[in-house]
Every structure is written in structure tokens, then in C-alpha cells.
């Protein structure tokens, strides 16, 4: 009986440790490699105002939201101020281009898609988290030639001021 048990245990161990051939899989897309996102409703953003400091430049940024527009003010260390107003909408995937018909209509999503009319380019934030005190956004541009705004592929934690 003992001999049978040892043979059975060895067979079981061998079966468990036999390496199976790996299946060919496609490489993960950029979207799949991003950090986890939190879906949010636009109602949680409307009327709020957020603040962020770029420690490496000593610049700061405030952003506020209506149901269709992000207002952004960039305060440069050397006392210059730049403001911008960007149409936006929320969705659950990254579009290939900005969909103007969706502004004000798409009310929920994990991505905040916004349009910069001055540079005619579309960018997006992935909403990593939204709490009463902070908003964490992962920034990426859809235009690989864009040099406007934050560095593509960077997360920013904004603190709530309103």
C-alpha cells in the first residue's frame, strides 16, 4: 500500500510540473498596459476645482470642470499665466480622434478625452482615482507630435480646492 501511495504521489507531482507548450499571444496594447482606471460620472466633476504643482519646475496648474469644458490655468514660476478651455467627454476606451458630437452627452467613463483647439489635437486622461480630496489622472496625447501640455505617459495627483 505504501509503495502504491509513493508511485501515485510521484505521478501526481510529475503531472503537475510538466510544462505545457505556450500559446502564441499578441503583445499587449498600450491601453492594456496602463494602470487600473476608475470609472466616474461627469456629475462628480462638474463644479469642482483641482490644483497641482510641478515640483521640477515650481509651476502650478488648476483645472475645473463644467459638463462640457475643462478650464485649465497654468501659473508659470516666472509669473506668466496661461489659460485654456478644452471641450471634453468621458468614455471607456481611447478613440482614434475627438468626437465633437459626444461632448456633453457621454456622461460616464474611465477616460477623459479633451480637444485643444489652439493646436488642433486630441489628448486624454485616464482617471486612476477620484476621491473627495484628490483626482489622479494619467496623461497621454493622441498626437505623437504634440509638445503642448504635460509629458505623455505621466500620472498627476491633483488636490481639491473647491
Amino acid at each position: 500500500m505504501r509503495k502504491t501511495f509513493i508511485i501515485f504521489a510521484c505521478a501526481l507531482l510529475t503531472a503537475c510540473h510538466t510544462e505545457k507548450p505556450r500559446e502564441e499571444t499578441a503583445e499587449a496594447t498600450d491601453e492594456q498596459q496602463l494602470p487600473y482606471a476608475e470609472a466616474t460620472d461627469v456629475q462628480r466633476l462638474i463644479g469642482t476645482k483641482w490644483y497641482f504643482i510641478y515640483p521640477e519646475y515650481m509651476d502650478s496648474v488648476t483645472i475645473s470642470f463644467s459638463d462640457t469644458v475643462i478650464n485649465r490655468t497654468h501659473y508659470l514660476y516666472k509669473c506668466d499665466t496661461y489659460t485654456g478651455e478644452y471641450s471634453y467627454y468621458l468614455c471607456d476606451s481611447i478613440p482614434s480622434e475627438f468626437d465633437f458630437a459626444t461632448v456633453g452627452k457621454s456622461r460616464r467613463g474611465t477616460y477623459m478625452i479633451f480637444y485643444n483647439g489652439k493646436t488642433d489635437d486630441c489628448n486624454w486622461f485616464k482617471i486612476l482615482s477620484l476621491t473627495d480630496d484628490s483626482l489622479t489622472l494619467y496623461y497621454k496625447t493622441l498626437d505623437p507630435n504634440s509638445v503642448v501640455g504635460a509629458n505623455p505617459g505621466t500620472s498627476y495627483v491633483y488636490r481639491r480646492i473647491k
Side-chain angles (χ1 to χ4, degrees), residues 49-52 54 60-64 70-76 80-86 158:
K49 189 171 187 177
W50 305 85
Y51 180 76
F52 174 79
Y54 292 98
S60 62
V61 172
T62 61
I63 56 174
S64 60
I70 300 171
N71 289 298
R72 183 176 186 269
T73 304
H74 190 149
Y75 305 94
L76 298 174
D80 291 333
T81 302
Y82 295 99
T83 59
E85 191 174 273
Y86 309 98
Y158 292 81

Side-chain angles (χ1 to χ4, degrees), residues 82-128:
Y82 295 99
T83 59
E85 191 174 273
Y86 309 98
S87 297
Y88 82 101
Y89 59 90
L90 301 179
C91 64
D92 286 323
S93 61
I94 302 168
S96 58
E97 60 185 31
F98 192 81
D99 182 2
F100 291 95
T102 308
V103 174
K105 295 178 183 159
S106 181
R107 312 294 289 169
R108 185 166 178 77
T110 54
Y111 293 94
M112 186 182 305
I113 312 303
F114 62 99
Y115 179 76
N116 185 338
K118 291 182 182 179
T119 59
D120 190 32
D121 66 350
C122 178
N123 298 300
W124 57 266
F125 289 119
K126 186 168 189 176
I127 303 166
L128 300 183

